[in-house]
Amino acid sequence: MMAMKQQVVFLILALSLVYVRASAQVRVSQMWCEHQATPLSVGVPQPQLSWQLSAPQRDTRQTAAEIRVALSQEDLVRGRKLVWASGKLSTAQSVDMLYAGAPLQADQTYHWQVRVWDNHGNVSLWSTPARWHMAFLSPADWKAAWIQPGFEELPSRPSPLFRKEFQAKKPVRQAMLYITAHGVYEAHINGKRVGDACLAPGWTAYQVRVPYQVYDVTDLIASGSNAIGVMLGSGWYRGYMGFQDKNDNYGSDISLLAQLEITYQDGTRAQVVSDTTWRAATGHIVSSEIYHGETQDARLRQEGWTQPGYPATGWSRTRAAGLGYEKLVASENEPIRRHETFHPVRIFKTPAGDQVLDFGQNLVGWVQVKATGKAGDRIFLDHAEVLDKAGNFYTDNLRAAKAEDQFILRGGGEETFEPVFTFHGFRYVRVRGYPGELTPDRFTAVALYTDMHTTGSFACSHPLINQLQRNILWGQKGNFLDVPTDCPQRDERLGWTGDAQVFASTAAFNMNVHTFFVKWLKDLAADQRADGAVPFVAPNILGQNAVASAGWADAATIIPWQIYQAYGDRELLAQQYPSMKAWVEYMHTQSRDHLWNTGFHFGDWLFYRPQDDNDGMAAVTDKYLIAQCFYAHSTQLLIQTAQVLGKTEDVTTYTALLEQIKSAFVREYMTPGGRLVSGTQTAYVLALNFDMLPEALRQQAADRLAENVRRYNTHLTTGFLGTPYLCHVLSRFGHLDLAYELLLQESYPSWLYPVKMGATTIWERWDGQRPDSTFQTPGMNSFNHYAYGAIGDWMYRVIAGINPSPEAPGYQHIIIRPQPGGNLTYAQATLDTYYGRVVSHWELQEGRMRLQVEVPANTYATIHLPGAAAQAVSEGGRPLEAVAGLRPGTPAAGARVLEAGSGVYRFEWNITQ
């Protein structure tokens, strides 16, 4: 009996040891190829592979990794027939490891796994298999022809339908659809929608780059007879875009390219390609324009047209478009998809007698309608962001955009309508012609935006700041539809470079915008002029002379560097370096004696102008002073990029140039005493943020900036270019309290004024709606315009204290430096990086400060404990000195600084004032 008890005890101990070892085991928790989880259109010969470690032990780092890749999951997990077996690699790299196996083949799926070793002697199990699919790698891979409808098009440009029947003669192992269009498309196979992308293929510099998408349609293919149907809309390619009521910006054609690659279970293959055997007709979408909306007539719906056996009576032949494949590129970013849905929070009649739905949130997308009525009944939906002072439906700020959807009923029962090839920016919808009572269950607003995963969160003890953060996030969602638009509602919706560059860093906290900006920056470079001038908008439909405004064109240098800091993507810097260098060289050639004081510039767009300016309080900043600041900043970023890429000659050349640019600034725009010729907030902010002043004169300039802010009764006066850096400069130069006062200011002009006025997104103007509820000029007054939301960067970096390190970008080295103020009692932020989740959560209570920090595996952090320089600090309830793994960092004024590896830390100390 004793022996049996001993055996049981031994077994329990053994199992406990196994459990303890398993619980301490490092594992691979997430994997990405080309920064996506399961990409289907990888178009590069050496994809970048990334993975995330999860480990309960503190200070866990990867010391080695092994990768294997195979053509089937079965071969992969058995470790046989591998196309890449890396062997054990002594490396800490877990982000953007380049594939280094056998050459990859087009239209082929690859399965991969990774396992890692850590610094504690643990080795992970092989990860759960992941996969990626290679797109076409050369024009020769295309066998399909571009096709167009064979019938004469009506002036209203109804959406054409294309269809083709085909046979699947054997059991199917895999079927992949490669598809794109001149215009936008929606595809179906056997009556089922292909994928869930909206408005594909998106908007690019079509004259150079036409993206195609790849869909796994294996589950949609039936044995025997099948049918594929594709519907097209004008979209960005030939629809009305820009300011001059102009369409056909890239061409007047509407064309389809589709290639279905079928692999049977026995390994044989078949293709279904777009060609002149396809048939075409029109259907229920009578007209569709991005600005003006969509008209659908259900009486014209071709029921069953995407099913096999459909008679297709009266359908015409298609014709070959004669277009090539050289411009085709595999999609590398996430598509636009449907996201949140909303029902009306109230339905009411305005003083003017309109029936209006209020969805409670300014959003971008469309409204789905359910209705029962007679054949020919027309339902009209008009879209607006705001109500006027009297409470009436207001659309003057949409300018020429009609933003109206029309649905014509077929009759005979309940019908459901929603647009396909348009989108609107709205909170309110006016309904006309609805057959019956308006009830919330009959109307659903659908939010559309690029499928970026939310990565950041921010909250604090101030409810208005929390609403501001929500407004910033919704401004980003509404304007990140394949390109970073300025606004989503009026006759504009363009990829303004200035708006994008001021907001890119904030955007990268809120959501994963990595591939979004990789794609858009390629369009910017494609539209960049041969002389290096960068357009106002990308893609550029405003013309070859709409270029080179300071602070706008600098998106070419600023955004690549910011995305590199956020994600550590060195390949992006290499991709964009020629564009960055060309832009700096353009400024160089336009300068005289290293002073860039020529050309058109928007300046500090929409800066503060009081209605009654008799006292000269308008904050006008010299546009050439601004240009010189951005000239220096772009040159500095080019130097830093050249250092990363090992371009030592360029580092030497542009370092010398930068010195001359700054000297020219001092000569032209600064008095000997350090006063700037423009005494505005923006002038001082840019000069200080970009280090334009001699170091000995910077603090007095910052003090002058603070003086200016107080002269305006603690209000900002900055426009698009000064606002992003205002609080950063104040907090950097010892005016943290003033930065908080500006953030918490509730009267105009301020960030919280729109919040107090009921805004649910960021406004274009500080006073888009005045305190008396009247509006700013309708010619330019968007209520969803994210530029001023750039304050979010300061909220994440300074209030919560989460920062990437320039020396180890992508949050491989994290700097946690919260700076409490403004009577906030707590602030918390999270950020999901490629390494894992970063957390900074502080709270103040009765003279004590608590700080919780989470550092992901395979990273390390420098943690600043504010006000703890001379205080006893505990971590996890133990004196700091008794906690292993925490090392003293470089001392900083007023704070204790620690170096820490991965793990969750809970610090507490008495706060000094």
Side-chain angles (χ1 to χ4, degrees):
M1 179 68 72
M2 181 64 68
M4 183 177 294
K5 286 183 178 179
Q6 288 175 335
Q7 288 177 344
V8 170
V9 170
F10 178 78
L11 180 60
I12 291 172
L13 286 171
L15 290 172
S16 298
L17 288 172
V18 169
Y19 171 77
V20 168
R21 180 164 178 79
S23 66
Q25 190 85 349
V26 64
R27 65 186 180 89
V28 176
S29 55
Q30 293 192 60
M31 300 164 66
W32 301 273
C33 174
E34 286 296 297
H35 314 114
Q36 297 186 60
T38 311
L40 297 180
S41 58
V42 175
V44 294
Q46 283 187 281
Q48 296 180 104
L49 304 177
S50 306
W51 56 90
Q52 190 178 109
L53 277 62
S54 178
Q57 281 184 277
R58 282 184 174 180
D59 195 22
T60 296
R61 302 183 304 278
Q62 176 184 299
T63 59
E66 183 176 7
I67 304 166
R68 61 186 184 186
V69 182
L71 290 172
S72 74
Q73 186 168 317
E74 182 181 2
D75 286 339
L76 179 73
V77 296
R78 290 172 180 255
R80 65 186 187 187
K81 298 180 183 179
L82 300 176
V83 296
W84 185 28
S86 73
K88 184 178 179 181
L89 304 171
S90 295
T91 179
Q93 185 176 357
S94 60
V95 175
D96 290 347
M97 177 75 76
L98 280 176
Y99 170 85
L104 299 171
Q105 304 300 310
D107 187 41
Q108 185 66 257
T109 299
Y110 291 87
H111 302 262
W112 70 291
Q113 285 178 303
V114 63
R115 63 176 174 178
V116 300
W117 287 257
D118 71 15
N119 56 314
H120 303 299
N122 299 312
V123 58
S124 75
L125 300 174
W126 283 103
S127 65
T128 301
R131 63 188 171 95
W132 80 82
H133 185 83
M134 295 299 294
F136 291 155
L137 297 176
S138 78
D141 294 323
W142 285 97
K143 308 303 178 188
W146 284 93
I147 58 173
Q148 298 170 350
F151 52 79
E152 186 174 344
E153 191 172 47
L154 296 172
S156 64
R157 289 182 162 178
S159 289
L161 314 177
F162 298 84
R163 74 180 309 273
K164 172 72 176 180
E165 294 199 18
F166 62 95
Q167 296 289 317
K169 299 178 180 179
K170 307 174 191 178
V172 174
R173 181 197 302 166
Q174 186 179 69
M176 308 297 290
L177 177 63
Y178 295 72
I179 184 171
T180 189
H182 280 181
V184 286
Y185 69 83
E186 183 177 285
H188 296 257
I189 293 177
N190 297 331
K192 295 181 179 177
R193 198 180 191 284
V194 173
D196 56 2
C198 300
L199 299 165
W203 189 11
T204 57
Y206 294 123
Q207 79 283 2
V208 178
R209 294 164 24 85
V210 177
Y212 64 88
Q213 286 72 46
V214 184
Y215 301 94
D216 187 338
V217 295
T218 307
D219 293 342
L220 302 184
I221 306 297
S223 297
S225 296
N226 293 267
I228 180 172
V230 184
M231 178 168 53
L232 303 187
S234 294
W236 295 276
Y237 181 83
R238 68 169 193 172
Y240 285 91
M241 296 297 297
F243 307 125
Q244 299 168 347
D245 198 31
K246 183 180 181 298
N247 61 0
D248 298 344
N249 282 283
Y250 298 95
S252 60
D253 65 298
I254 191 160
S255 306
L256 169 68
L257 181 69
Q259 185 163 317
L260 177 61
E261 295 281 350
I262 300 174
T263 303
Y264 293 117
Q265 290 288 1
D266 62 6
T268 59
R269 299 180 65 129
Q271 291 177 330
V272 179
V273 300
S274 53
D275 57 24
T276 56
T277 65
W278 288 48
R279 293 293 182 267
T282 56
H284 67 289
I285 299 184
V286 176
S287 66
S288 186
E289 287 282 349
I290 287 175
Y291 288 170
H292 303 314
E294 190 164 287
T295 297
Q296 298 182 9
D297 188 341
R299 298 169 300 180
L300 303 178
R301 191 181 296 274
Q302 303 256 16
E303 298 291 349
W305 69 280
T306 64
Q307 299 274 13
Y310 180 74
T313 305
W315 285 52
S316 73
R317 296 181 65 86
T318 55
R319 62 172 180 264
L323 302 170
Y325 312 116
E326 292 74 19
K327 298 176 183 177
L328 294 173
V329 293
S331 280
E332 56 207 336
N333 61 308
E334 295 86 351
I336 298 168
R337 289 192 169 103
R338 302 161 62 112
H339 293 279
E340 297 92 340
T341 59
F342 300 82
H343 289 289
V345 295
R346 64 180 180 130
I347 299 173
F348 62 96
K349 182 176 286 189
T350 69
D354 292 323
Q355 292 278 356
V356 173
L357 314 174
D358 177 5
F359 288 97
Q361 172 65 53
N362 195 358
L363 64 111
V364 175
W366 57 56
V367 174
Q368 183 188 84
V369 181
K370 294 180 180 179
T372 303
K374 305 185 301 296
D377 282 352
R378 288 178 179 261
I379 301 171
F380 297 85
L381 301 184
D382 303 304
H383 302 78
E385 297 183 287
V386 291
L387 304 175
D388 69 13
K389 183 175 183 178
N392 287 314
F393 198 71
Y394 181 79
T395 59
D396 289 356
N397 68 320
L398 304 187
R399 300 191 305 219
K402 295 178 182 176
E404 178 186 83
D405 294 331
Q406 297 184 41
F407 304 127
I408 304 172
L409 274 62
R410 186 171 191 163
E414 183 176 88
E415 303 175 60
T416 301
F417 297 89
E418 68 178 354
V420 181
F421 297 134
T422 190
F423 63 88
H424 309 286
F426 66 97
R427 171 176 171 171
Y428 300 96
V429 172
R430 177 172 59 196
V431 183
R432 294 177 286 133
Y434 187 82
E437 182 185 358
L438 305 185
T439 57
D441 60 314
R442 304 280 87 189
F443 301 90
T444 304
V446 179
L448 295 181
Y449 49 89
T450 292
D451 194 18
M452 309 160 292
H453 297 295
T454 299
T455 51
S457 68
F458 176 91
C460 68
S461 57
H462 198 300
L464 294 182
I465 298 298
N466 294 337
Q467 182 62 50
L468 173 64
Q469 168 63 16
R470 286 191 286 271
N471 292 2
I472 294 169
L473 181 58
W474 272 102
Q476 179 172 345
K477 290 177 177 181
N479 281 291
F480 277 38
L481 275 81
D482 207 57
V483 302
T485 59
D486 59 324
C487 61
Q489 71 297 92
R490 66 190 182 212
D491 58 342
E492 193 163 348
R493 315 186 199 191
L494 305 177
W496 284 93
T497 48
D499 303 51
Q501 72 86 0
V502 302
F503 188 70
S505 184
T506 299
F509 277 111
N510 289 331
M511 308 182 89
N512 188 327
V513 294
H514 189 167
T515 61
F516 177 86
F517 274 118
V518 167
K519 172 261 183 190
W520 184 73
L521 286 167
K522 287 183 179 179
D523 291 321
L524 181 149
D527 277 331
Q528 193 169 359
R529 277 191 342 200
D531 63 0
V534 176
F536 300 159
V537 300
N540 183 20
I541 61 167
L542 300 183
Q544 283 291 296
N545 294 324
V547 295
S549 175
W552 272 250
D554 298 277
T557 53
I558 293 172
I559 296 179
W561 186 256
Q562 289 182 340
I563 297 303
Y564 172 66
Q565 289 297 303
Y567 303 109
D569 187 354
R570 187 179 181 277
E571 292 297 312
L572 171 64
L573 291 184
Q575 166 196 301
Q576 294 302 126
Y577 190 78
S579 168
M580 300 170 75
K581 185 174 178 178
W583 169 237
V584 171
E585 279 302 313
Y586 175 86
M587 291 184 282
H588 189 192
T589 60
Q590 299 299 307
S591 301
R592 294 171 294 195
D593 296 327
H594 303 290
L595 197 65
W596 186 27
N597 56 4
T598 60
F600 168 82
H601 302 282
F602 289 108
D604 192 30
W605 191 248
L606 298 183
F607 59 87
Y608 172 69
R609 293 183 181 91
Q611 286 183 312
D612 183 2
D613 193 28
N614 294 331
D615 57 0
M617 293 293 282
V620 182
T621 307
D622 186 290
K623 292 183 179 181
Y624 292 135
L625 180 154
I626 292 172
Q628 193 73 2
C629 289
F630 277 96
Y631 182 17
H633 185 46
S634 281
T635 304
Q636 177 67 66
L637 295 179
L638 184 66
I639 294 166
Q640 292 167 197
T641 302
Q643 289 171 333
V644 171
L645 299 178
K647 298 180 181 294
T648 54
E649 287 187 15
D650 281 356
V651 171
T652 301
T653 298
Y654 290 104
T655 299
L657 176 62
L658 179 60
E659 196 173 313
Q660 292 169 320
I661 294 168
K662 291 186 176 181
S663 294
F665 177 90
V666 169
R667 288 195 309 271
E668 185 76 7
Y669 300 112
M670 194 188 81
T671 69
R675 188 179 294 275
L676 297 180
V677 297
S678 279
T680 64
Q681 292 175 20
T682 290
Y684 280 98
V685 163
L686 296 181
L688 288 164
N689 196 70
F690 300 152
D691 295 332
M692 303 300 291
L693 306 178
E695 191 165 352
L697 295 176
R698 291 175 189 173
Q699 186 61 55
Q700 60 84 28
D703 294 342
R704 282 198 178 104
L705 170 63
E707 216 176 90
N708 181 293
V709 170
R710 294 190 183 97
R711 192 162 65 247
Y712 284 88
N713 297 317
T714 318
H715 286 83
L716 52 77
T717 63
T718 50
F720 276 28
L721 297 183
T723 298
Y725 310 112
L726 175 57
C727 286
H728 279 295
V729 168
L730 288 171
S731 54
R732 172 185 167 189
F733 286 98
H735 296 286
L736 177 67
D737 289 347
L738 188 58
Y740 267 104
E741 286 183 54
L742 278 178
L743 176 65
L744 298 175
Q745 176 63 255
E746 296 181 12
S747 60
Y748 162 77
S750 69
W751 285 286
L752 294 186
Y753 168 73
V755 175
K756 293 277 285 186
M757 293 292 288
T760 61
T761 43
I762 300 298
W763 292 355
E764 179 177 20
R765 294 176 176 271
W766 293 118
D767 61 342
Q769 190 168 18
R770 301 186 181 100
D772 64 358
S773 294
T774 61
F775 294 125
Q776 259 283 4
T777 171
M780 191 171 58
N781 195 23
S782 161
F783 291 93
N784 193 351
H785 216 96
Y786 56 68
Y788 288 139
I791 185 60
D793 184 72
W794 190 81
M795 290 157 57
Y796 276 103
R797 290 177 186 266
V798 177
I799 299 179
I802 297 177
N803 293 269
S805 167
E807 289 74 34
Y811 297 93
Q812 186 178 26
H813 175 202
I814 305 151
I815 299 171
I816 301 292
R817 191 190 175 199
Q819 298 180 56
N823 293 322
L824 299 185
T825 57
Y826 77 85
Q828 57 187 34
T830 66
L831 179 65
D832 292 330
T833 73
Y834 286 132
Y835 294 98
R837 176 161 288 188
V838 178
V839 175
S840 177
H841 178 191
W842 60 261
E843 58 180 313
L844 294 169
Q845 190 173 19
E846 297 177 350
R848 298 281 287 172
M849 182 162 180
R850 298 180 181 89
L851 174 65
Q852 178 178 324
V853 174
E854 186 171 338
V855 182
N858 209 30
T859 72
Y860 64 103
T862 300
I863 304 171
H864 294 246
L865 308 181
Q871 300 295 320
V873 178
S874 65
E875 193 285 309
R878 296 180 298 163
L880 200 61
E881 294 70 24
V883 179
L886 291 173
R887 301 170 297 280
T890 303
R896 179 175 291 194
V897 182
L898 303 172
E899 302 289 340
S902 65
V904 178
Y905 301 89
R906 295 175 176 86
F907 302 100
E908 188 170 346
W909 67 95
N910 289 327
I911 187 76
T912 56
Q913 300 298 324

